[in-house]
Amino acid sequence: MSNYPLIRFVLIFISGIIVQSIANFQILHLILILVFFFSLTLILHLVIKNNYENAKAFSLLFVIVLSGSAYYSAYNQTKIKYPFEKPKLSNARIFGKIDDIELKKEGRITFSIITDSLLTKEKKYLNRSKLLCSIYDDDKSVKKLFYRLFIGNKIYLGGTVQKARDERNPGEYDYEEYLYSKGIVALANSYKADSLKIISNEINFLPNFIFQIRKQIDEKITSLHNKTTGGLLRGLILADRKSIDYEVKNEFVNAGVVHVLSVSGLHVGYIVLIFLFAFNRFNITARYLLTVVGLLLYMIISGSDAPVVRSTLMVLITFAAPAFGREYNSLNALSFSAFIILLVNPNQLYNPSFQLSFSALLSLIVIYPRVKSAVDKMNKSSKTFKWFLLFLGSSIAAQIGTLPFTLTYFHKLSLTALLANFIVIPVSGMIVGLGILTLIASIFLNWIAIIFASANELLTYFMYLFVSIMGSGKYSYLSVNQFSNYDAIVFYLSLAFIFYLLRKFINPLAKMVSISLILLLMALLMRLDNYLLLPKNILSIIVIDVGQGDASLIKFPNGKTALIDAGDKTQYFDNGERVILPLLEKCEIDTLDYGFISHVDSDHYRGIETLVKNKRVKIIYKPLPDSSSESDLEFEKLLNNYNCPFQYYSKKSIHIGNTRIYVLNDTINNYFGALKSNDRSGLLKLVFGRTSFLFTGDAGVKIEDDYINKYGSFLRANVLKVAHHGSKSSTSDKFVKVVSPDIAIISAGVGNKFGHPNKVILDRLEENHISVLRTDRAGAIILQSDGKVIRSINWKKIESSFTF
């Protein structure tokens, strides 16, 4: 690397960005120190020419680091944050200009606007803010509106404005932080297409021109292909993966080939080949110029994501190098493209696409020549076998480089990645090529385009089938939930040290011993920051933030697990899939031993459907079904279809190690059977040592009185899971006094339309000197008991202590 000063410069510049993002120094201080070291560097190099070489090197090093820090600080001077007092503004009236429009989804259009003003009943906001707006309606109405909108239009939109979801539960994706990186401060949602009115037909010519091209291409893709292939080509050609099913994406992650679902440098390479072939009849200058123009146009149309920009810049350097009499060098080209991208936006350093793309290619550049050299020495091997080894070596090299990032973002180590990449990479390239040829053919001869599209649908079907085999089932990956930024640093430093020793040592035995020692040391160092979110031998309860719903995960001292309720599942968001399953992975829980559904209301039970379908629950307890409830009958049908055993609540105690769960209602009793759904909620008391927890579902005041008369002081508990999200229809003053908890937990959605928790209930709990914990304020709540004392755990603080 000593022969490539550009990469050293870029890596030092990047370190400056990282230092500033961690330390957050004042920009004025940075500039003053930078001026000092810059002046010192000039003096050392211009005045004192032949001495103090180390001082010169260190001075220049500080200049580059400080330049990166100062540039990052200057770029992020305006701190993006949610600008409104309340987390949710209902019936908001928004006036602004459309800044960007996404491709249409079924029953939904999404666009961003820059607001001129925003009005609510209480206040008028005049600050300019960027909002991400979504309108949901029937597909016909949405489609009609979609074709009327243009970038630059001034519009009025009525709807709800709210904060985006941040990391509400351990291991959950921080969507709010992602939107902030895009300059978006909040979400706006409306459920009627006619809630949007176009005030002015102004158009921003260039952005709208690009959008119209994207829209035309998307229309062609959609009209010529089935839904599956169309969704894939949207991702491969237009960098829009939102039409690819969540389950399919997950299988690609498990198989270690998720990178092929979006536009990448690999696909840019295929496109360059297509352009060069298409312009083959032109002279070499015209051929290259047309290819460059086509590639730049494709980069813009595809959304200019980091991998595409990187690949485009490197292709331009490849073409330009001979014209300037220079030899092309991939390491310098990679460094140059990274520097240009970071100059345009230094925040790209924390973009997963940037990290995965550059780490993969850097690893290939460093490792592949050594692989090729070893393969070339195999004189007696066939060309096919050598090609196989080269492909295998390059695949391993890319995965070594990206491993820390894939573990950080996906928490999975694919065991089938090598085989899957061997098939999927060339097939995805063929799909991209056929997709582009289909689009070109549709301009001239539609029947040829249909033939190409049909061939692509067949290829897509086989690729998805293959990925499904490689990515479904536990054999396909290992869960890695303890990988942090610290681990990534240890990994890359160890990797650098291994390469250093490989160059220094000649003896094979010395190389083997030294590498083994480094790998052992790396494994030991990586364990230093490991922690268990749910430790052994104690009782842990996570009241999960599932929005306006209920869900509580329990890990018993003997390692058994249970889930009480599982939140809601809607057309747009499945708590079971998006919240609970990732949390189970985070907590290293493969299968739940018990599932308790308090009652069959959607905000309590629907999230467990996904867990049942994935065979993640051994047995479920629920109330006796209401024959008039279609959802209850459908739920039991689902349990039977997936062979999930279930029992009805009856008065009993369940022994789980040295803990007990007392079921206090008896739904097979005629009295309980006549009650409404909420009042038939499973009332569960969990006892461990001298500590106890009472879970009440949505039980109302009337049934609370019945429980008081029946159980009296046995209802006493240290922790009360407040019924019905803090509604005033539950948690009577009499019930609170009988239970006499130290802690009350309320599960409610941020800014929910019901006004939960009700002020009457909050005042009642305060009057009784009860500490209140709320998911709408704190996100997930974790309580742990050793049988004597209950502690509240700040999981965000624990996680932040192991990240930077």
Side-chain angles (χ1 to χ4, degrees):
M1 197 173 288
S2 59
N3 298 323
Y4 307 107
L6 185 55
I7 193 170
R8 287 191 292 172
F9 166 80
V10 173
L11 289 175
I12 296 169
F13 184 81
I14 286 172
S15 69
I17 294 175
I18 295 172
V19 167
Q20 179 60 13
S21 65
I22 297 169
N24 196 26
F25 296 117
Q26 292 290 322
I27 189 170
L28 180 60
H29 297 161
L30 286 173
I31 292 173
L32 290 173
I33 300 171
L34 176 60
V35 169
F36 169 78
F37 276 102
F38 183 75
S39 303
L40 178 62
T41 302
L42 286 178
I43 292 171
L44 288 172
H45 281 78
L46 298 178
V47 179
I48 309 173
K49 296 182 179 180
N50 298 320
N51 297 308
Y52 304 106
E53 294 301 323
N54 289 336
K56 291 177 184 179
F58 277 112
S59 178
L60 183 59
L61 174 71
F62 277 111
V63 167
I64 301 171
V65 170
L66 290 165
S67 296
S69 297
Y71 189 71
Y72 179 80
S73 180
Y75 188 90
N76 291 289
Q77 275 295 288
T78 305
K79 186 69 175 176
I80 300 291
K81 64 178 182 178
Y82 183 77
F84 311 115
E85 287 87 356
K86 294 182 178 180
K88 193 171 186 178
L89 307 176
S90 300
N91 301 315
R93 291 171 289 162
I94 307 162
F95 297 86
K97 179 184 287 190
I98 294 179
D99 182 63
D100 192 17
I101 305 174
E102 294 185 9
L103 298 173
K104 189 184 83 68
K105 316 300 181 294
E106 189 173 356
R108 172 166 62 107
I109 54 173
T110 301
F111 53 91
S112 58
I113 66 170
I114 306 296
T115 62
D116 294 324
S117 61
L118 189 150
L119 287 72
T120 66
K121 288 182 180 180
E122 298 84 13
K123 190 171 181 179
K124 181 178 183 179
Y125 299 91
L126 297 176
N127 54 313
R128 288 170 59 84
S129 300
K130 188 174 181 179
L131 307 181
L132 184 65
C133 308
S134 294
I135 298 179
Y136 304 87
D137 207 337
D138 63 87
D139 203 53
K140 184 178 178 181
S141 301
V142 164
K143 189 174 183 179
K144 185 178 177 181
L145 178 61
F146 181 68
Y147 284 101
R148 290 174 53 217
L149 292 181
F150 297 92
I151 296 173
N153 286 172
K154 289 188 175 180
I155 64 165
Y156 157 79
L157 176 66
T160 301
V161 176
Q162 65 187 65
K163 278 172 65 74
R165 191 176 175 95
D166 57 357
E167 189 183 9
R168 308 291 298 176
N169 298 285
E172 187 175 333
Y173 180 66
D174 193 334
Y175 186 51
E176 182 182 58
E177 192 63 33
Y178 167 76
L179 291 181
Y180 285 171
S181 72
K182 302 285 186 182
I184 296 167
V185 299
L187 302 173
N189 295 313
S190 180
Y191 295 88
K192 284 290 181 183
D194 59 10
S195 63
L196 184 146
K197 308 294 181 187
I198 298 174
I199 300 172
S200 168
N201 286 312
E202 295 177 26
I203 294 177
N204 289 350
F205 176 76
L206 185 57
N208 192 69
F209 176 70
I210 294 167
F211 170 66
Q212 293 303 320
I213 294 175
R214 284 174 59 82
K215 188 160 68 172
Q216 292 295 323
I217 293 172
D218 182 53
E219 285 176 8
K220 282 291 183 184
I221 289 173
T222 305
S223 64
L224 290 167
H225 302 87
N226 61 27
K227 186 177 178 181
T228 302
T229 306
L232 177 63
L233 287 174
R234 258 191 176 188
L236 297 180
I237 296 176
L238 296 173
D240 185 331
R241 297 197 298 176
K242 293 186 176 67
S243 296
I244 302 174
D245 290 341
Y246 180 85
E247 186 178 339
V248 170
K249 291 178 188 175
N250 202 42
E251 287 176 348
F252 273 76
V253 170
N254 295 347
V257 291
V258 70
H259 56 90
V260 305
L261 289 181
S262 57
V263 181
S264 67
L266 178 68
H267 299 137
V268 171
Y270 286 124
I271 287 163
V272 169
L273 291 175
I274 291 169
F275 284 152
L276 289 173
F277 178 78
F279 303 133
N280 190 44
R281 291 183 177 273
F282 295 88
N283 65 55
I284 192 166
T285 302
R287 187 183 181 192
Y288 281 174
L289 284 174
L290 288 170
T291 300
V292 166
V293 171
L295 192 55
L296 290 172
L297 183 62
Y298 173 74
M299 181 186 76
I300 295 168
I301 291 170
S302 66
S304 301
D305 203 9
V308 185
V309 176
R310 186 265 300 162
S311 300
T312 302
L313 288 171
M314 292 184 74
V315 171
L316 294 180
I317 294 169
T318 304
F319 290 167
F324 289 94
R326 303 296 295 270
E327 185 179 343
Y328 175 79
N329 180 274
S330 56
L331 203 54
N332 284 333
L334 180 69
S335 307
F336 177 77
S337 60
F339 185 63
I340 295 298
I341 291 171
L342 294 175
L343 277 183
V344 174
N345 182 1
N347 292 321
Q348 284 285 341
L349 182 63
Y350 297 103
N351 182 336
S353 295
F354 178 94
Q355 295 168 346
L356 291 166
S357 177
F358 279 90
S359 61
L361 194 55
L362 179 59
S363 184
L364 273 170
I365 291 170
V366 173
I367 297 175
Y368 181 77
R370 291 169 173 79
V371 174
K372 190 175 185 307
S373 176
V375 171
D376 287 342
K377 292 176 182 178
M378 302 169 65
N379 297 323
K380 295 182 180 180
S381 300
S382 67
K383 289 184 178 180
T384 304
F385 182 65
K386 285 184 175 181
W387 178 87
F388 170 78
L389 290 177
L390 288 173
F391 184 90
L392 188 67
S394 60
S395 182
I396 293 172
Q399 288 183 60
I400 288 172
T402 59
L403 186 61
F405 296 114
T406 55
L407 294 180
T408 298
Y409 294 120
F410 304 120
H411 309 294
K412 293 176 180 178
L413 176 63
S414 176
L415 302 177
T416 58
L418 288 177
L419 176 59
N421 275 282
F422 190 79
I423 301 297
V424 171
I425 287 177
V427 172
S428 68
M430 292 168 66
I431 290 171
V432 171
L434 264 177
I436 293 172
L437 289 175
T438 302
L439 292 171
I440 295 170
S442 68
I443 301 171
F444 306 103
L445 293 168
N446 202 58
W447 65 271
I448 294 179
I450 292 171
I451 293 172
F452 285 160
S454 299
N456 229 354
E457 288 175 3
L458 188 62
L459 274 177
T460 302
Y461 170 78
F462 281 116
M463 186 175 80
Y464 273 34
L465 179 63
F466 177 75
V467 171
S468 177
I469 295 169
M470 292 290 102
S472 61
K474 285 295 179 181
Y475 67 85
S476 63
Y477 67 92
L478 293 175
S479 293
V480 181
N481 296 299
Q482 295 287 341
F483 201 87
S484 66
N485 293 339
Y486 160 78
D487 296 325
I489 291 171
V490 171
F491 177 86
Y492 282 125
L493 287 177
S494 301
L495 199 62
F497 198 40
I498 285 172
F499 277 106
Y500 172 78
L501 292 179
L502 285 175
R503 293 178 61 186
K504 288 295 181 182
F505 290 145
I506 298 174
N507 187 292
L509 181 60
K511 290 181 180 181
M512 188 180 299
V513 171
S514 60
I515 291 173
S516 299
L517 289 173
I518 293 170
L519 291 175
L520 178 61
L521 179 62
M522 180 180 73
L524 292 172
L525 290 174
M526 283 183 172
R527 293 183 63 85
L528 291 179
D529 69 334
N530 287 2
Y531 70 98
L532 286 176
L533 188 64
L534 305 179
K536 298 177 181 179
N537 302 319
I538 64 172
L539 176 68
S540 297
I541 298 174
I542 303 180
V543 180
I544 308 168
D545 183 1
V546 288
Q548 186 63 14
D550 266 9
S552 299
L553 176 65
I554 303 171
K555 185 176 181 183
F556 299 95
N558 67 349
K560 297 285 187 179
T561 55
L563 182 71
I564 301 177
D565 290 330
D568 206 349
K569 170 187 173 183
T570 68
Q571 179 183 352
Y572 309 109
F573 193 86
D574 178 358
N575 274 292
E577 184 177 65
R578 301 296 184 91
V579 176
I580 297 175
L581 277 178
L583 180 60
L584 295 182
E585 296 284 351
K586 176 75 175 177
C587 297
E588 300 180 3
I589 297 171
D590 182 60
T591 306
L592 293 161
D593 295 290
Y594 306 91
F596 296 91
I597 299 301
S598 64
H599 62 301
V600 184
D601 277 1
S602 63
D603 59 328
H604 289 255
Y605 88 94
R606 289 217 61 196
I608 208 166
E609 291 178 355
T610 300
L611 278 66
V612 170
K613 291 176 182 177
N614 284 275
K615 309 289 186 182
R616 304 295 288 269
V617 190
K618 291 181 180 179
I619 187 170
I620 284 178
Y621 290 84
K622 64 178 290 292
L624 192 74
D626 181 351
S627 58
S628 65
S629 171
E630 186 176 341
S631 58
D632 204 339
L633 297 176
E634 285 294 320
F635 180 51
E636 290 203 359
K637 183 179 178 181
L638 175 80
L639 296 178
N640 286 319
N641 287 343
Y642 286 91
N643 299 315
C644 181
F646 62 92
Q647 294 183 19
Y648 300 124
Y649 288 129
S650 59
K651 188 179 176 183
K652 64 190 296 187
S653 65
I654 304 171
H655 295 251
I656 306 172
N658 52 352
T659 64
R660 287 189 182 187
I661 293 180
Y662 294 93
V663 181
L664 302 184
N665 62 338
D666 185 2
T667 59
I668 60 176
N669 181 292
N670 290 335
Y671 172 73
F672 276 95
L675 296 173
K676 293 181 180 179
S677 177
N678 283 355
D679 287 339
R680 292 193 301 125
S681 293
L683 201 76
L684 307 174
K685 182 174 181 179
L686 170 60
V687 178
F688 175 47
R690 298 202 300 264
T691 61
S692 55
F693 306 77
L694 189 65
F695 297 87
T696 54
D698 280 353
V701 171
K702 180 180 179 298
I703 197 67
E704 286 177 352
D705 287 340
D706 290 346
Y707 282 124
I708 291 170
N709 293 331
K710 189 170 185 178
Y711 293 107
S713 62
F714 185 74
L715 294 175
R716 186 178 295 274
N718 302 106
V719 178
L720 170 65
K721 177 69 174 54
V722 174
H724 208 174
H725 324 291
S727 165
K728 65 180 180 181
S729 63
S730 304
T731 322
S732 67
D733 186 57
K734 185 179 179 182
F735 188 73
V736 169
K737 284 182 166 57
V738 170
V739 177
S740 188
D742 303 307
I743 299 170
I745 298 176
I746 300 175
S747 179
V750 176
N752 65 84
K753 63 182 179 181
F754 307 102
H756 295 159
N758 191 278
K759 188 176 184 302
V760 171
I761 302 302
L762 294 174
D763 290 343
R764 183 172 295 157
L765 295 171
E766 184 180 356
E767 288 166 5
N768 286 275
H769 309 291
I770 300 166
S771 299
V772 178
L773 302 175
R774 297 167 50 176
T775 59
D776 62 331
R777 295 275 180 88
I781 296 163
I782 300 183
L783 299 179
Q784 293 179 344
S785 167
D786 60 1
K788 300 175 183 177
V789 178
I790 296 172
R791 295 186 304 139
S792 177
I793 306 299
N794 187 339
W795 57 270
K796 291 186 178 180
K797 188 174 181 180
I798 292 173
E799 291 198 332
S800 66
S801 67
F802 297 113
T803 56
F804 303 137

